[in-house]
Amino acid sequence: MAVDTMQQFVGRDQAYPSKRVAGERAADFAEIAARYAVPDAEDQAGRCSQCGVPYCTVHCPLHNHIPDWLRLTAEGRLREAYELSNATSSMPEICGRICPQDRLCEGNCVIEFAGHGAVTIGAVEKFITDTAWAEGWVEPLVPGPGRGQSVGVIGAGPAGLTTAEQLRLAGYEVHVYDRHDRAGGLLTYGIPGFKLEKPVVMRRVERLAAGGIVFHQGFAVGRDATLDQLRQRHDALLIATGVYRARAVDVAGDERDGVVEAIDYLTASNRKGFGDAVPAFDDGSLDARGRRVVVIGGGDTAMDCVRTAVRQGAASVTCLYRRDRANMPGSQREVANAEEEGVRFEWLAAPAEIAGDERVTDVRYRRMRLGAPDASGRRAPEPEPGEPLDAPADLVVRALGFDAEPLPQLWDAPGLDVSRWGTVLVDGKTLMTSLEGVFAAGDIVRGASLVVWAIRDGRDAAAAMHRWLRARAASERLAA
Ligand code: FAD
Ligand code: SF4
Ligand code: SF4
């Protein structure tokens, strides 16, 4: 190892790519951070101390070879860095943008523990693969020799796309079914452009389509086919449909005009970014322009909603969350970004009533305090005595998270076993559901989670399906 290239964390400060100033970035939906210039990426990668047991890798769900591609970057061997990074991740430039690095790789970097500030792993990862795309190093998807077996993937989010790619590489005919008109799942219609610009997602999808994966967009299982009908069409199936049943706020007035679901709100905004006609946006129902917006919730979805409202030109944006800042599920980095962009946070604030006539005018909320830990281990909020407070509102966005839809009922598939939360149950070893030849991956198995976990699950599911399909082909040959 070239010591003078690496281990520079004492003399070289941590430096993320510069963020655009809040006033400028709040006026558009472009990503807020610039990309490293080559020397800056090399310098930052060179801060890594090349740990023998790299905790960054241990805490990356994909177990990326982080120290190795950091070293290659620091040495200016960018193409090799890309190839290594691409070997373990199906979408490194996407993870580099939107992983909560503070909780994963960077949060476990030893340099962070030593007080020097973590190596900026995510920003380097994004830099490496963005460079690869720009330089033409990202190879087309070349399918392996045909196997004469076909696979159906239900859901074109990161889990489904990852499995589709891996199985196409292995030589299967792959069909992806998705109820949306564009592939990408929440990468396309959930996560806003200021975190993940859409061309970054679309170029991945286009590469998969060019590699022979057949996309059936606008195809909803449960409406356009039952699960059984798809089982007849394919040798194996993957369910990767994510979780979309919004949790209710459960207070009086929840049904008033002007109270909307986060996923509808974000999808409309993302569609406008694609230039689509969106009647519910164009008639003002899902547009925050000039409105006093209150977002209820404290997770990533709520952070995306408040920051979207700022960009749409809301008159004011307030976020109500029932725990305090330290106990919120959303990323601290995103809260800081939202604050810089002018969002007001009311911590320890739980809605008591959504007031108004037909249309909402106010959200009444109670001040909370944190009591003893609940079943999740987090301190449970309980109301403080006193009168409710008032947040004036013309648009209220419910962003309390998502549960699984009831797939066995929706898909006429009573044999598909699900947990009491509705998530699909899979065997821990085979990753198969209760139905022979039907596998599952991503949020629909874990519950609402992260893109990087969906990619990990998608890769694991592809490996498990490949094993099962090979065994099946072998037994059919024997029987013939
Ligand atoms: P999804 O991405 O949800 O994809 C599922 C696909 O299945 C969708 O395209 C859907 O249309 C399709 N589908 C569903 N039902 C059917 C059906 N019946 N027939 C056909 N198709 C169907 N994670 C991060 O790591 N970082 C972030 O910054 C981040 N921000 C987020 C912001 C928001 C607003 C949300 C909601 C989530 C965010 N997440 C983030 C979580 C992340 O997006 C998910 O964990 C991830 O997308 C799950 O991938 P998936 O493939 O399992 O499902
Ligand atoms: Fe870090 Fe996510 Fe990249 Fe892993 S995939 S190295 S956790 S940014
Ligand atoms: Fe480098 Fe930090 Fe990973 Fe150690 S933990 S290998 S210093 S990035």
Side-chain angles (χ1 to χ4, degrees):
M1 184 209 325
V3 172
D4 53 349
T5 309
M6 303 307 292
Q7 301 182 346
Q8 298 299 323
F9 57 90
V10 175
R12 200 175 289 160
D13 287 345
Q14 180 197 55
Y16 285 96
S18 57
K19 280 195 287 187
R20 293 189 290 144
V21 292
E24 181 199 322
R25 69 188 197 232
D28 62 45
F29 281 85
E31 285 174 13
I32 69 166
R35 187 154 66 89
Y36 279 137
V38 175
D40 298 331
E42 291 176 357
D43 278 359
Q44 288 299 310
R47 294 181 67 246
C48 169
S49 81
Q50 300 286 281
C51 304
V53 179
Y55 287 118
C56 54
T57 292
V58 172
H59 289 272
C60 165
L62 292 165
H63 301 317
N64 283 337
H65 303 308
I66 299 166
D68 300 322
W69 45 252
L70 287 173
R71 180 175 47 77
L72 289 166
T73 303
E75 291 171 359
R77 297 159 63 188
L78 277 184
R79 187 164 189 163
E80 290 162 84
Y82 158 68
E83 279 159 8
L84 195 59
S85 159
N86 187 56
T88 52
S89 176
S90 309
M91 306 178 182
E93 75 284 22
I94 293 180
C95 292
R97 282 170 165 84
I98 60 168
C99 269
Q101 286 100 8
D102 49 346
R103 286 190 264 143
L104 300 172
C105 53
E106 294 178 20
N108 290 282
C109 172
V110 291
I111 293 177
E112 175 78 19
F113 296 138
H116 294 286
V119 180
T120 54
I121 300 167
V124 174
E125 187 181 29
K126 166 183 161 181
F127 165 81
I128 293 169
T129 300
D130 277 354
T131 304
W133 279 101
E135 295 293 328
W137 302 335
V138 178
E139 306 274 355
L141 166 55
V142 180
R147 293 177 175 273
Q149 284 172 300
S150 106
V151 171
V153 172
I154 310 170
L161 292 181
T162 298
T163 301
E165 176 177 2
Q166 295 294 311
L167 291 179
R168 186 70 188 137
L169 278 170
Y172 296 96
E173 193 189 312
V174 180
H175 290 253
V176 178
Y177 302 88
D178 197 288
R179 61 187 174 191
H180 274 310
D181 55 348
R182 291 185 181 90
L186 291 171
L187 301 177
T188 298
Y189 284 135
I191 300 171
F194 52 81
K195 278 165 60 181
L196 175 61
E197 287 172 5
K198 300 307 150 185
V200 173
V201 182
M202 290 303 127
R203 69 185 174 193
R204 283 264 163 217
V205 174
E206 283 154 19
R207 177 175 167 274
L208 299 183
I213 294 173
V214 184
F215 284 89
H216 303 261
Q217 298 297 149
F219 188 109
V221 178
R223 182 192 66 196
D224 299 313
T226 62
L227 189 64
D228 252 351
Q229 286 166 334
L230 285 190
R231 288 178 82 192
Q232 306 303 322
R233 264 188 225 175
H234 299 289
D235 295 286
L237 283 183
L238 178 80
I239 301 174
T241 48
V243 288
Y244 285 90
R245 190 162 65 168
R247 292 193 191 131
V249 177
D250 226 9
V251 294
D254 194 17
E255 72 301 331
R256 287 189 203 288
D257 276 357
V259 182
V260 301
E261 292 299 346
I263 195 66
D264 297 337
Y265 177 65
L266 293 172
T267 302
S269 176
N270 277 315
R271 280 192 179 285
K272 290 308 287 183
F274 279 106
D276 296 353
V278 184
F281 182 93
D282 300 333
D283 72 12
S285 316
L286 294 172
D287 183 1
R289 176 165 304 281
R291 301 276 178 77
R292 295 165 304 172
V293 178
V294 171
V295 175
I296 301 172
D300 281 334
T301 304
M303 295 311 105
D304 289 350
C305 291
V306 290
R307 299 179 66 205
T308 295
V310 167
R311 283 160 176 78
Q312 289 176 344
S316 65
V317 185
T318 306
C319 181
L320 299 185
Y321 179 55
R322 64 197 181 126
R323 290 186 165 92
D324 61 5
R325 185 184 189 124
N327 286 286
M328 69 179 294
S331 148
Q332 294 296 329
R333 189 179 57 182
E334 296 303 300
V335 179
N337 284 333
E339 281 179 330
E340 286 168 16
E341 291 164 11
V343 174
R344 188 168 72 94
F345 284 86
E346 284 291 345
W347 305 111
L348 294 165
E353 184 192 349
I354 298 179
D357 304 319
E358 242 170 57
R359 205 181 159 82
V360 56
T361 55
D362 303 85
V363 178
R364 316 215 72 208
Y365 62 95
R366 287 199 176 280
R367 199 47 84 200
M368 310 296 280
R369 63 176 171 226
L370 293 180
D374 63 13
S376 71
R378 288 190 301 166
R379 291 174 64 196
E382 49 192 48
E384 289 268 26
E387 286 302 300
L389 303 159
D390 213 44
D394 316 297
L395 180 67
V396 175
V397 184
R398 290 187 290 220
L400 291 168
F402 303 94
D403 290 313
E405 294 166 283
L407 296 190
Q409 288 89 322
L410 291 175
W411 292 1
D412 190 18
L416 180 68
D417 287 351
V418 295
S419 70
R420 64 190 162 108
W421 299 280
T423 48
V424 172
L425 294 172
V426 293
D427 178 278
K429 224 166 163 184
T430 63
L431 305 186
M432 202 179 330
T433 67
S434 52
L435 299 174
E436 182 75 3
V438 179
F439 298 76
D443 278 5
I444 192 59
V445 176
R446 288 180 180 274
S449 179
L450 293 173
V451 169
V452 66
W453 279 114
I455 295 171
R456 167 69 195 270
D457 291 352
R459 292 174 79 94
D460 289 348
M465 292 170 81
H466 184 40
R467 275 193 300 275
W468 185 84
L469 283 159
R470 263 190 324 191
R472 184 175 141 143
S475 68
E476 280 172 1
R477 271 196 305 274
L478 272 178

